[in-house]
Amino acid sequence: AQTVTQSQPEMSVQEAETVTLSCTYDTSESDYYLFWYKQPPSRQMILVIRQEAYKQQNATENRFSVNFQKAAKSFSLKISDSQLGDAAMYFCAYRSQGGAQKLVFGQGTRLTINP
Amino acid sequence: GAGVSQSPSNKVTEKGKDVELRCDPISGHTALYWYRQRLGQGLEFLIYFQGNSAPDKSGLPSDRFSAERTGESVSTLTIQRTQQEDSAVYLCASSPRTSGGAVYEQYFGPGTRLTVT
């Protein structure tokens, strides 16, 4: 079974600075997808960014980018120019290419933005 | 358009009672998922529905948990004889479809917070 590990329960960053959230995963599959979700206090899960394992190029969405290291099974999220609205729980998630395509989540990292 | 909705938003129940949680997916979404999120934890997969196919129940933690879905519309998650360890947020997500070769985003509802006293 696949597992996802987020080793940083909490992180904090100064507003306008850059922060990197770590994620590692374990799988024997070669084709899969990786995601970062944001969960603010409202509980709504919001997709931040996704990466297809077959793509070597790291995904980027505005201020959010990932560092995908397939051989190391590492998938970190970099947030540039941090804003107060970025404060939330961040979850890394894995999804197989086939089957039910259920998401396997890490434990989450709570990100605090200091003004 | 309307997103995924869930009701009730919060539910407090006594140990041993049965509860029903409802999920209304986005119209036209054939895939529906239920997840559980314990306090301070990530989401755990419970069950998956895809069209008229048999559901994937591999994540249900015990036979006290069951779920139904009518066609491609509303789904109900039922927990019988609730226990304190069932206290959690139950999140529902829907997706346009599932296909081995494509990525379809799962759209989440706001969840139901269940507290068993």
Side-chain angles (χ1 to χ4, degrees):
Chain A
Q2 294 82 26
T3 59
V4 177
T5 302
Q6 294 178 248
S7 59
Q8 306 156 315
E10 298 184 355
M11 291 283 285
S12 63
V13 64
Q14 290 295 126
E15 191 176 4
E17 296 295 307
T18 296
V19 63
T20 299
L21 308 183
S22 301
C23 172
T24 59
Y25 58 95
D26 188 29
T27 184
S28 60
E29 299 174 336
S30 59
D31 294 321
Y32 50 86
Y33 306 97
L34 296 165
F35 305 83
W36 278 98
Y37 279 87
K38 171 184 177 182
Q39 186 181 41
S42 67
R43 301 198 305 243
Q44 192 81 42
M45 295 289 285
I46 302 165
L47 178 64
V48 174
I49 198 166
R50 71 184 183 203
Q51 174 81 43
E52 290 86 343
Y54 65 84
K55 290 185 178 179
Q56 293 186 339
Q57 186 173 7
N58 290 321
T60 299
E61 288 287 343
N62 300 313
R63 298 182 295 107
F64 299 86
S65 61
V66 299
N67 184 2
F68 173 49
Q69 301 290 327
K70 189 172 184 179
K73 295 180 182 175
S74 172
F75 183 63
S76 61
L77 174 69
K78 185 172 80 172
I79 306 174
S80 303
D81 185 25
S82 297
Q83 301 176 0
L84 295 177
D86 295 333
M89 285 290 292
Y90 285 81
F91 293 95
C92 179
Y94 173 102
R95 198 182 87 184
S96 297
Q97 184 181 42
Q101 300 188 350
K102 63 186 180 185
L103 292 165
V104 178
F105 286 86
Q107 300 286 72
T109 297
R110 181 175 301 281
L111 178 63
T112 301
I113 311 297
N114 300 314
Chain B
V4 177
S5 61
Q6 293 186 245
S7 60
S9 178
N10 292 282
K11 175 72 176 179
V12 179
T13 190
E14 292 180 351
K15 177 182 174 180
K17 299 283 189 182
D18 298 352
V19 295
E20 284 189 353
L21 312 180
R22 177 186 170 107
C23 171
D24 284 273
I26 293 172
S27 178
H29 282 195
T30 60
L32 186 146
Y33 303 79
W34 283 98
Y35 294 88
R36 177 174 70 178
Q37 184 178 25
R38 288 186 162 134
L39 184 64
Q41 303 293 312
L43 282 68
E44 306 168 81
F45 166 77
L46 296 177
I47 189 168
Y48 155 73
F49 295 91
Q50 169 61 41
N52 294 318
S53 302
D56 178 346
K57 305 179 182 180
S58 61
L60 295 179
S62 77
D63 58 8
R64 296 187 296 104
F65 288 72
S66 63
E68 293 183 348
R69 186 182 186 195
T70 305
E72 295 181 354
S73 62
V74 66
S75 175
T76 302
L77 177 68
T78 301
I79 308 174
Q80 297 178 310
R81 305 181 301 281
T82 52
Q83 304 294 314
Q84 288 187 331
E85 63 261 28
D86 299 334
S87 295
V89 174
Y90 291 83
L91 290 138
C92 174
S94 71
S95 177
R97 66 180 69 86
T98 57
S99 171
V103 180
Y104 294 101
E105 181 180 347
Q106 292 184 23
Y107 295 81
F108 284 83
T112 293
R113 181 180 299 280
L114 175 66
T115 303
V116 181
T117 62

